[in-house]
Amino acid sequence: MSMLDFDVLVTEQEQACTTRQFAEDIRAGLDRTGQKELPSKYFYDAVGSALFETISVMPEYGLTRADERVLRRHAGDLAELVAAPVIVCELGSGSGKKTRWILEALSRRERVFYYPIEISASALASCERELAQVDGVSVLGIESEYLDGLSEVAAKRKKGTHLLVLFLGSTIGNFDSGADRRFLQSVRQTLIPGDSLLLGADLVKPLDQLLAAYDDPAGVTAAFNLNLLARINRELDADFNLRQFEHVARFNGSTSSIEMHLRSKKQQTVTIARAEFMVQFREGETIWTESSHKYSADELKTVAAASGFDCKEQWIDQDWQFSESLFIAC
Ligand SMILES: C[S@@+](CC[C@H](N)C(=O)[O-])C[C@H]1O[C@@H](n2cnc3c(N)ncnc32)[C@H](O)[C@@H]1O
C-alpha cells in the first residue's frame, strides 16, 4: 500500500467514526423522554459556519461587534498584561476575524505562534486564510474538539513559554449551568500557573434586545437553526421536512438564558436511516438546540475563581454590555 492509499484509508476511517458518533448523539438526543435535544456543536458544518458568519453581521446581533470593539480597544492593554514569550491558542475560533487585534498587538513585541482549534473544517480554513496574513504570526490550525486541541498544544509547549487561551464570542454561554465551570476547570488543568485565559461573555440586557438578536426578521438565525435538521438529512440520510418545523427563541428566566428550539408544526414521524431510528413528534413539541446564558460581570469572576483562575482585568462594552475578562491560572 502506498503512503497516499494509507492516508486515504485513515481519512475514510476517521470520517466513518465521526459519522457514527454523530448518529449516536442525534439518536440519544431525540430518543429522550421529556424534552428532546440536539448538541449545538453540530450546527457548524460548512453551511452552518457560513450562516453563523452572516448572523454576526446582522443589525440585531450586536454581540460580535461589541466583542470586536472591546478587543480592538484593549488589545494593547492585554499585550502588556500577558507574560512573554507567549503562544496563543483559541477554542472555537470561527473565522478568527476579531482575533486579528490581539495577534497584531502581541506580534509587535515578539513572533507569535497561534493555534486555532475548531471542529468546523470550513471555519478553520477561513481562519487560517484570514490570520496568516498578519505579519509576525504563524498560524497552525488544529481540527478537533476544544480540550483535545488544547492538550495537543500544551504538550508541544517549550519550557518557559506562557499559554494564552482565547475563548471569545460568548461560546462559554452555550454550556449548561454548571457545565461552564466544569469546562473551565478542565481548561485550567491543562494550564500551569501564570498562563492566561481571555474569556468573552455576553451580559444580561433588556429582553427585547436579546430576543431580537436570536430571532432576526430576515430569518438568518432561523435558517442557522433549521440547518441542523438539513445536516442530519444530508449526512445521516434522514427525511426531516424543514417546512414542518419552525425556529423559536425564548428567554428562560430561571437560567438567565436565551433558548433556541425547533418546533414541530404538526404530528409527524421522521426516519433517520443511518442512525437506524424513527422518531415521532407531537404538534407543538420542540427540540432544544442551544442555550446562550447571559452572565453578570461578577458571576464570571465567581465561575473563574471556582475553576482556579484569578481575574486580572475585565473590560466591558457599554453599548451592548459584553465583557472580556482576563483570567490568570493560579
Ligand atoms: C458561537 S461560534 C463562535 C466563533 C468565534 N469564536 C466568534 O467569537 O465569533 C462557536 C465556534 O466554536 C466551534 N465549536 C463548537 N463546538 C466545538 C467543539 N466542541 N470543539 C471545537 N470547536 C467547536 C464552532 O464550529 C464555531 O466556529
Side-chain angles (χ1 to χ4, degrees):
M1 187 188 295
S2 72
M3 279 308 284
L4 192 62
D5 290 341
F6 180 73
D7 285 349
V8 170
L9 186 64
V10 169
T11 310
E12 281 171 0
Q13 281 171 350
E14 281 171 359
Q15 184 56 47
C17 184
T18 313
T19 305
R20 197 162 49 243
Q21 186 62 56
F22 183 33
E24 277 171 23
D25 290 348
I26 297 313
R27 183 175 178 142
L30 295 182
D31 205 19
R32 292 169 64 94
T33 42
Q35 177 68 63
K36 292 179 170 57
E37 58 181 73
L38 292 171
S40 62
K41 68 177 181 179
Y42 291 117
F43 279 137
Y44 299 96
D45 64 349
V47 178
S49 291
L51 285 166
F52 179 74
E53 279 301 297
T54 311
I55 289 172
S56 73
V57 293
M58 294 304 287
E60 296 80 12
Y61 194 79
L63 191 155
T64 308
R65 286 183 293 280
D67 194 3
E68 176 157 22
R69 278 195 296 274
V70 178
L71 296 176
R72 197 175 57 216
R73 273 185 204 143
H74 297 289
D77 303 329
L78 174 79
E80 282 178 17
L81 291 168
V82 170
V86 71
I87 52 177
V88 182
C89 87
E90 179 164 7
L91 309 178
S93 61
S95 68
K97 282 188 185 136
K98 292 172 289 172
T99 310
R100 169 181 287 268
W101 304 105
I102 299 172
L103 297 181
E104 283 181 353
L106 290 170
S107 66
R108 276 184 218 116
R109 67 172 204 201
E110 60 182 301
R111 172 145 210 103
V112 178
F113 290 89
Y114 167 65
Y115 297 86
I117 297 165
E118 253 300 334
I119 38 164
S120 163
S122 67
L124 187 61
S126 50
C127 178
E128 288 171 322
R129 266 196 312 276
E130 171 91 20
L131 294 173
Q133 296 161 4
V134 182
D135 284 344
V137 175
S138 302
V139 182
L140 304 124
I142 301 179
E143 190 181 331
S144 82
E145 295 269 345
Y146 302 128
L147 295 175
D148 295 340
L150 182 59
S151 301
E152 196 178 319
V153 176
K156 280 189 212 164
R157 71 190 296 178
K158 292 203 185 91
K159 210 164 170 233
T161 53
H162 297 272
L163 202 54
L164 167 62
V165 179
L166 309 177
F167 199 25
L168 311 179
S170 207
T171 309
I172 187 71
N174 299 148
F175 289 89
D176 291 345
S177 170
D180 54 355
R181 188 173 303 213
R182 288 192 295 281
F183 181 74
L184 292 184
Q185 281 165 352
S186 301
V187 170
R188 171 63 191 86
Q189 278 160 17
T190 318
L191 304 182
I192 58 176
D195 286 341
S196 341
L197 166 70
L198 184 70
L199 182 69
D202 203 20
L203 304 179
V204 278
K205 51 182 61 64
L207 194 53
D208 53 346
Q209 196 182 352
L210 277 179
L211 287 172
Y214 291 86
D215 196 7
D216 61 274
V220 181
T221 314
F224 174 72
N225 201 4
L226 283 161
N227 177 57
L228 186 46
L229 303 185
R231 181 179 183 182
I232 298 171
N233 283 351
R234 285 191 293 270
E235 296 184 24
L236 299 180
D237 195 12
D239 61 0
F240 279 103
N241 179 345
L242 269 59
R243 296 192 191 284
Q244 297 302 343
F245 287 86
E246 62 191 355
H247 167 68
V248 178
R250 59 188 183 219
F251 188 69
N252 182 335
S254 66
T255 57
S256 186
S257 302
I258 287 281
E259 289 182 1
M260 296 208 306
H261 291 251
L262 289 164
R263 181 160 49 212
S264 175
K265 291 185 187 172
K266 62 171 196 179
Q267 183 172 333
Q268 54 186 318
T269 301
V270 174
T271 304
I272 307 173
R274 294 187 75 179
E276 297 173 3
F277 178 57
M278 283 170 79
V279 53
Q280 294 191 330
F281 293 94
R282 297 185 310 275
E283 183 179 343
E285 184 177 9
T286 71
I287 312 170
W288 177 21
T289 52
E290 186 177 71
S291 282
S292 298
H293 178 67
K294 304 301 163 187
Y295 289 87
S296 72
D298 284 344
E299 182 188 1
L300 284 161
K301 291 181 189 167
T302 307
V303 172
S307 313
F309 291 98
D310 279 337
C311 184
K312 181 100 174 171
E313 194 58 81
Q314 199 167 53
W315 299 286
I316 296 180
D317 182 80
Q318 295 303 333
D319 289 347
W320 179 268
Q321 291 297 308
F322 186 96
S323 68
E324 281 292 352
S325 310
L326 179 64
F327 297 121
I328 309 291
C330 47

